[in-house]
Amino acid sequence: MGAMAIAEPAVTTARQTGRADNTDILTKHDVHQAKDARQTGTMQATEQSSLHKIRLLYFFFRFSTGSLIPFLPLFMSSCGFTHEEIGRLQAIRPIVTMISGPFWGALSDRTGKKKLILISTFVISAICRLSCAFFKDDMQLFAIALCLTSLFYAAVTALLDSIVVSSLSSKQRLNFGKLRLWGELGNGISSTLMMHVSNNEAYGFEHLFVVHGVSAAVAVVFMSLCTPSNQYNQQKTKANGIAKNDDIIDWRRNLLDVFTNAEIASILGAVAVTGCSISVLENFSYINIKTLYKLHGQEDRLGQEISLYRMFHTSGGMLTWWWSGSWQKRLGPNGVIFASVCCVPLIFFLYAGVGDGLDVWTKIGFAAAEAIRSAIFAAMWSSATIRMNMICPSHMTAALQAIMDASYRGVGSTAGAYFGGALCKKFGIANAFKIVGKSFVSLLCMLGAVFLSSRTIGSHAPK
């Protein structure tokens, strides 16, 4: 009995101790769960804060460029340059971009100093662009200023897109368009406001340069706040396995793989063709509209109605950026790219004029052309950027983005500026647009016939 009396309290004590231990374990488990929940909430809040900063970055960056770049052809025309001279001057940027763009991308990938290169090249390019205002009477100095502007600006757009896409998770990348649309919004607001300024006799084109300088300074501030530090990019570069002794060998092999990849080559070709087409439109569409308004005595309504066209341009781009992720889920990035190319000829016919003179239908055509032109670029660029980032080597994201940018703003825009200038000089702008549109339709029909015939032959081939 005594032994049992002694054992019973011992068992009771052990049970109490066990319950206490279980209570401690549950308490610790609850603490860990609460801690994990707080960390998850903090990470989500940090992620949302980063996305908000990226939206503001795109908004102010595109606000600064939209305040001046779209109006440079009109500014050149006001300086007395001919259509052919404008085409040659506008060809400077794509030629320089084609050469220098891949260099900046490779340099940023190798060094990891993407933030430093992004900010410094944007600042220098803005300064050089502002200097064009002082050389409007000297075409040679004007050309030199444009050349220096293009040399440094070649790094900016591609590097910014590469930094943003690389920082997004695989699920977030389909929402890249929704981030990029804030840039379209900034571009639309600035270009609409600046159109009123440029057509106001009290201001003129000179004030566009002032607004561009101020807004570019604001954009630099957001670049410094929103992009990852150089130390982070350098650590990521090292994590991707780029050894110093293997730089040259790796880059040679990977560049060869890139240019021999059929899918990458097809995307670069589609981007170049689209860049060529849009280059013709960007350089001469507003000049054609301005000439048509003067011819029909509606020059006093030009500024107001071009601002309205720019609103359609912004709306088309924003809607496409927003829905681009959904379209890519259904069609795939390559399907969206193909559909974008097929829509290009329609813009030329709309800009050439679908009505009689300058009637309502012609103006509706101009508004539709602005919306479709912006939509084609948004669909093309979003899909190509995401697809390129998916299939390229991890340590070549900036370089391949720069190569794609060079295909669009380099190869494509160079061909568009030269051929567009020559065609517009020989046939007139409206007739040149019709010729390009018909040629594009013929090319698409030929490619479609080749594709269908190859599938027919393949289906009847012996197995």
Side-chain angles (χ1 to χ4, degrees):
M1 292 291 294
M4 292 178 64
I6 293 172
E8 187 174 350
V11 172
T12 303
T13 304
R15 290 174 179 172
Q16 292 175 348
T17 304
R19 285 195 298 269
D21 290 341
N22 289 336
T23 303
D24 291 340
I25 292 172
L26 290 173
T27 303
K28 291 178 181 179
H29 180 69
D30 292 339
V31 169
H32 284 302
Q33 280 188 332
K35 186 177 180 180
D36 291 341
R38 286 195 300 269
Q39 289 178 347
T40 302
T42 303
M43 290 176 62
Q44 290 177 348
T46 303
E47 184 177 300
Q48 288 299 320
S49 177
S50 300
L51 293 178
H52 288 321
K53 290 180 180 179
I54 292 173
R55 293 184 184 101
L56 290 173
L57 169 58
Y58 271 118
F59 178 86
F60 286 102
F61 166 64
R62 292 290 290 151
F63 187 97
S64 66
T65 57
S67 63
L68 181 59
I69 293 178
F71 306 102
L72 282 178
L74 289 176
F75 177 69
M76 296 175 195
S77 180
S78 68
C79 294
F81 299 148
T82 65
H83 291 169
E84 189 174 10
E85 290 173 339
I86 292 173
R88 291 176 180 176
L89 288 171
Q90 287 293 88
I92 292 175
R93 183 183 67 172
I95 291 175
V96 176
T97 300
M98 179 174 55
I99 298 171
S100 61
F103 163 76
W104 290 115
L107 180 65
S108 61
D109 274 333
R110 287 193 180 190
T111 62
K113 297 181 179 180
K114 296 182 179 181
K115 182 173 186 174
L116 176 63
I117 295 175
L118 173 65
I119 295 176
S120 59
T121 52
F122 179 69
V123 170
I124 297 173
S125 66
I127 293 173
C128 294
R129 191 179 293 112
L130 291 172
S131 67
C132 292
F134 301 98
F135 305 135
K136 60 182 181 179
D137 296 327
D138 191 326
M139 184 175 172
Q140 291 183 348
L141 292 178
F142 197 100
I144 293 172
L146 282 181
C147 184
L148 293 174
T149 300
S150 305
L151 175 64
F152 292 99
Y153 188 72
V156 179
T157 303
L159 189 53
L160 179 58
D161 285 341
S162 174
I163 292 173
V164 171
V165 173
S166 298
S167 66
L168 300 175
S169 65
S170 56
K171 293 182 179 179
Q172 291 176 331
R173 285 177 185 173
L174 286 177
N175 292 325
F176 170 68
K178 294 182 179 180
L179 298 174
R180 198 66 156 71
L181 72 83
W182 285 85
E184 191 68 34
L185 177 62
N187 179 75
I189 292 174
S190 64
S191 60
T192 301
L193 293 175
M194 292 308 103
M195 180 58 68
H196 285 290
V197 172
S198 63
N199 283 280
N200 193 323
E201 296 180 357
Y203 298 104
F205 284 103
E206 288 74 12
H207 286 75
L208 271 64
F209 289 88
V210 176
V211 174
H212 175 69
V214 174
S215 57
V218 177
V220 169
V221 174
F222 278 90
M223 283 182 183
S224 63
L225 293 175
C226 303
T227 52
S229 63
N230 292 317
Q231 290 79 7
Y232 171 82
N233 289 320
Q234 287 172 332
Q235 291 174 358
K236 191 172 182 179
T237 301
K238 292 179 181 178
N240 286 331
I242 303 178
K244 291 184 178 180
N245 295 331
D246 295 334
D247 277 351
I248 297 177
I249 298 174
D250 286 342
W251 276 87
R252 285 178 178 175
R253 184 177 65 250
N254 284 305
L255 283 175
L256 181 62
D257 292 340
V258 163
F259 286 109
T260 55
N261 184 295
E263 183 179 3
I264 292 177
S266 299
I267 293 175
L268 293 177
V271 169
V273 170
T274 306
C276 177
S277 304
I278 293 183
S279 173
V280 177
L281 298 170
E282 286 180 343
N283 290 326
F284 300 103
S285 60
Y286 286 164
I287 296 175
N288 180 52
I289 292 174
K290 186 176 181 179
T291 303
L292 198 59
Y293 271 73
K294 283 185 177 180
L295 184 64
H296 290 82
Q298 298 186 27
E299 190 175 4
D300 56 331
R301 305 176 61 181
L302 177 64
Q304 180 181 359
E305 295 192 359
I306 284 190
S307 298
L308 182 62
Y309 300 151
R310 293 299 299 180
M311 290 177 61
F312 277 92
H313 183 278
T314 302
S315 300
M318 290 183 63
L319 291 173
T320 306
W321 285 116
W322 179 266
W323 291 104
S324 60
S326 300
W327 294 345
Q328 290 175 52
K329 286 182 181 179
R330 295 182 179 181
L331 302 177
N334 292 337
V336 176
I337 293 172
F338 178 75
S340 302
V341 173
C342 291
C343 293
V344 169
L346 177 61
I347 321 174
F348 284 96
F349 295 126
L350 291 173
Y351 273 124
V354 294
D356 183 15
L358 193 59
D359 59 5
V360 176
W361 290 108
T362 300
K363 295 180 179 181
I364 291 176
F366 290 157
E370 285 286 300
I372 297 172
R373 175 162 70 95
S374 179
I376 287 175
F377 172 77
M380 167 74 69
W381 198 255
S382 176
S383 303
T385 298
I386 292 173
R387 186 57 185 164
M388 284 292 196
N389 196 273
M390 291 169 61
I391 62 180
C392 77
S394 58
H395 59 277
M396 291 186 63
T397 53
L400 194 55
Q401 186 71 28
I403 292 173
M404 189 176 78
D405 190 67
S407 299
Y408 181 87
R409 294 183 172 86
V411 178
S413 295
T414 300
Y418 272 111
F419 290 128
L423 287 173
C424 291
K425 180 183 178 181
K426 185 174 183 179
F427 301 104
I429 297 178
N431 290 329
F433 284 178
K434 292 178 182 178
I435 292 172
V436 175
K438 293 176 181 178
S439 302
F440 213 108
V441 170
S442 301
L443 177 62
L444 289 175
C445 290
M446 290 172 56
L447 292 175
V450 171
F451 176 73
L452 291 175
S453 62
S454 64
R455 292 197 62 178
T456 303
I457 295 173
S459 63
H460 293 289
K463 298 181 180 180

